[in-house]
Amino acid sequence: MFAVPSIIYIAHLKNMLDTPNVRTVHESLTPRLGGVAVFAGFMSALTIFAPLNNGVQQLLAGCIVLFFVGLKDDLVSISVAKKFVGQLLATGVVMIMADVRITSFQGILGIEELPVGVSYAFTFFAIVGITNAINLIDGLDGLAGSIVLIIVSTYGYYFYQYGGPDFQNYAFVSVCVVGGILGFLRYNFHKASIFMGDTGSLVCGFIVSILTIQFIEMGLKVGQPFASAAPSVAVGILFVPLFDTLRVFIVRMMAGRSPFSPDKNHVHHRILAMGFQQISTVILLGLLNVVVILLVINFAYLGNIMLIVMLVVLSLLLSVFLGVYHSRAERQRVAS
């Protein structure tokens, strides 16, 4: 909270500002280095107060790598390939040095323990996928920060309650992220005076991905709080960013374009097109994520398959609703 005004001042002084374009929602030159403040708050609190065992030290090393990748992208813009190399390095540190990985599908598709090679490959895919899902949803004032806050708070509660000696220090990670995000959101809600930028979204996405993996492993090794249903509960906790990412990728590919080609087809763009304001859209998506989290937590006893079916049906209904509304709005616009 104390760092952000100084960052805003320096960004304006040195003209390090994000210029509005056809894909962005903001209309004025705005600094995009808020992730520097989030990272500073998170790192200082965690290194002072938290026990750094059980993979947290390697998590911090990965965060430092992604911090500099994101910082360079915010300042001078870098290619997707260079970003991917940074993510590869950060993921490698955590997977290989701390052995943080998904070791079992816990009965999904009849698969239990994974072979080591498949475990590493799937974990890498999960970390990169979740990191970029958080990065992609950072399109409105306060949206990414609010969604990360909800996700990390949920994980933090369960790590604190059920983590035991192997996982309880991830509650420290969660609390420190919450602190960093809260200080930043003070300046990021509409009308934002600073954006998170890739510096913040890559670091936050990476932390969320590691917390997700440890949450799933906690269900396997500790047996609490959701036992073998932990993977599908984790998907529910990440519902909004995962739904948004999968939806835009599928829509782009169905239109014959690259899944990575940027457009204004994200779920927050579609809700804005319905006539909602930025703050209403952020609150709506935050509430949606909270409702889905409560849904999967309360129905965890049904097991992985039933929960995944529920989430897929919900995703399809939302996609159809957004598509139908978009088509109607487009027809009205053409007619007018």
Side-chain angles (χ1 to χ4, degrees):
M1 194 178 285
F2 287 117
V4 171
S6 301
I7 293 168
I8 293 171
Y9 172 73
I10 292 166
H12 281 283
L13 194 69
K14 301 293 183 184
N15 199 31
M16 296 183 292
L17 305 169
D18 190 38
T19 308
N21 58 48
V22 291
R23 288 187 295 107
T24 56
V25 176
H26 68 286
E27 296 169 354
S28 56
L29 293 166
T30 309
R32 53 190 306 233
L33 294 170
V36 174
V38 175
F39 181 75
F42 165 73
M43 283 289 285
S44 55
L46 197 66
T47 49
I48 292 167
F49 296 108
L52 301 181
N53 56 337
N54 300 335
V56 174
Q57 183 182 350
Q58 288 76 13
L59 168 63
L60 289 179
C63 287
I64 292 167
V65 171
L66 288 177
F67 171 77
F68 285 107
V69 170
L71 185 63
K72 186 175 181 184
D73 190 49
D74 286 336
L75 293 175
V76 296
S77 192
I78 60 173
S79 66
V80 174
K82 287 181 180 175
K83 271 195 207 178
F84 182 74
V85 170
Q87 292 176 15
L88 184 64
L89 280 171
T91 306
V93 167
V94 174
M95 280 200 309
I96 295 163
M97 297 187 69
D99 201 34
V100 171
R101 56 193 173 89
I102 296 167
T103 57
S104 170
F105 274 7
Q106 302 185 36
I108 298 174
L109 303 174
I111 302 167
E112 293 293 339
E113 190 170 344
L114 295 172
V116 174
V118 175
S119 171
Y120 277 117
F122 185 78
T123 303
F124 173 73
F125 175 76
I127 293 173
V128 171
I130 294 168
T131 302
N132 286 296
I134 300 294
N135 189 19
L136 287 171
I137 205 165
D138 184 24
L140 291 185
D141 296 347
L143 179 58
S146 301
I147 296 295
V148 168
L149 198 65
I150 292 164
I151 291 168
V152 170
S153 301
T154 307
Y155 284 145
Y157 170 77
Y158 287 110
F159 283 127
Y160 176 72
Q161 286 286 84
Y162 304 102
D166 289 335
F167 297 99
Q168 205 162 43
N169 60 335
Y170 283 91
F172 284 89
V173 176
S174 304
V175 170
C176 293
V177 174
V178 167
I181 293 287
L182 283 174
F184 164 71
L185 282 176
R186 157 76 177 75
Y187 303 94
N188 184 236
F189 264 108
H190 190 66
K191 189 171 190 258
S193 53
I194 191 167
F195 298 147
M196 184 182 283
D198 275 19
T199 315
S201 61
L202 286 176
V203 169
C204 288
F206 181 69
I207 295 166
V208 167
S209 68
I210 302 304
L211 292 178
T212 302
I213 289 165
Q214 295 295 56
F215 177 80
I216 292 168
E217 286 298 294
M218 182 170 74
L220 182 68
K221 292 171 183 172
V222 179
Q224 293 284 354
F226 303 111
S228 63
S232 50
V233 172
V235 172
I237 293 170
L238 295 168
F239 181 76
V240 167
L242 291 185
F243 166 69
D244 178 57
T245 303
L246 289 171
R247 181 185 160 276
V248 292
F249 276 22
I250 291 167
V251 167
R252 287 168 188 171
M253 287 189 289
M254 284 173 68
R257 294 185 291 120
S258 163
F260 301 101
S261 60
D263 56 26
K264 291 187 80 167
N265 201 27
H266 287 277
V267 64
H268 48 270
H269 292 135
R270 297 275 59 84
I271 295 172
L272 283 174
M274 293 179 189
F276 286 90
Q277 300 299 312
Q278 284 205 46
I279 290 178
S280 311
T281 304
V282 171
I283 291 169
L284 203 61
L285 287 170
L287 282 173
L288 173 63
N289 215 54
V290 170
V291 167
V292 175
I293 288 170
L294 292 173
L295 187 75
V296 292
I297 285 170
N298 285 300
F299 289 97
Y301 66 88
L302 294 173
N304 283 311
I305 302 301
M306 280 303 297
L307 284 180
I308 289 168
V309 168
M310 284 166 58
L311 292 171
V312 168
V313 169
L314 179 60
S315 301
L316 290 172
L317 289 173
L318 281 170
S319 297
V320 169
F321 173 72
L322 291 171
V324 167
Y325 195 96
H326 177 54
S327 300
R328 188 186 303 158
E330 196 67 24
R331 282 198 302 272
Q332 287 172 351
R333 188 181 66 80
V334 170
S336 64

